[in-house]
């Protein structure tokens, strides 16, 4: 699935975790990443940068190291797992996505400054 399609799904996402199998690992983006983090704790977080015209946008992405742990979490329900996509429904809705994203971005920027 193309990144733009994933981001369109994530814009409307309020109750699912969408996971995508890429290069041998499972990844969650934006709201899905937030749900994974909120329900199970820290994951490997990284940022992708996309450019639309002259506007640069950062996209948060996490790598899910242990898909089985996520699949057997009681607050999640497996909806579908086909090939390169897995969809889980969250039985608990978590608020605070924008706050969380801002905190992760501040930490990321702090790390970038330390390296300079």
């Amino acid at each position: 699935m193309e990144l733009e399609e994933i981001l369109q799904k994530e814009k409307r996402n309020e109750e699912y975790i969408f996971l995508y199998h890429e290069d041998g690992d499972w990844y969650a983006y934006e709201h899905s990443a937030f749900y994974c983090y909120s329900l199970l704790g820290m994951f490997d977080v990284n940022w992708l940068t996309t450019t639309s015209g002259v506007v640069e946008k950062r996209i948060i992405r996490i790598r899910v190291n242990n898909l089985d742990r996520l699949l057997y979490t009681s607050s999640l329900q497996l909806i579908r797992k086909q090939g390169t996509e897995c969809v889980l429904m969250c039985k608990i809705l978590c608020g605070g996505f924008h706050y969380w994203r801002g905190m992760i971005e501040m930490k990321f920027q702090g790390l970038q400054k330390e390296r300079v």
Side-chain angles (χ1 to χ4, degrees), residues 9-46:
K9 249 188 208 184
E10 289 298 330
K11 268 187 189 177
R12 300 179 307 271
N13 184 19
E14 293 184 2
E15 59 186 319
Y16 296 98
I17 294 175
F18 296 101
L19 300 170
Y20 303 94
H21 196 253
E22 304 167 2
D23 300 323
D25 290 309
W26 289 93
Y27 291 93
Y29 293 82
E30 296 292 318
H31 285 85
S32 294
F34 170 66
Y35 278 117
C36 289
Y37 185 93
S38 297
L39 294 170
L40 296 175
M42 190 61 191
F43 286 86
D44 295 333
V45 177
N46 64 29

Side-chain angles (χ1 to χ4, degrees), residues 72-83:
Y72 296 109
T73 300
S74 61
S75 54
L76 299 175
Q77 178 184 353
L78 178 63
I79 301 296
R80 159 177 92 252
K81 184 178 180 215
Q82 296 174 307

Side-chain angles (χ1 to χ4, degrees), residues 90-114:
C90 298
K91 296 176 185 176
I92 299 170
L93 297 181
C94 301
F97 165 71
H98 295 287
Y99 175 78
W100 172 78
R101 190 182 194 287
M103 295 301 293
I104 297 291
E105 189 161 17
M106 283 182 2
K107 287 179 186 177
F108 176 76
Q109 289 172 347
L111 290 173
Q112 296 292 10
K113 287 179 184 176
E114 288 177 11

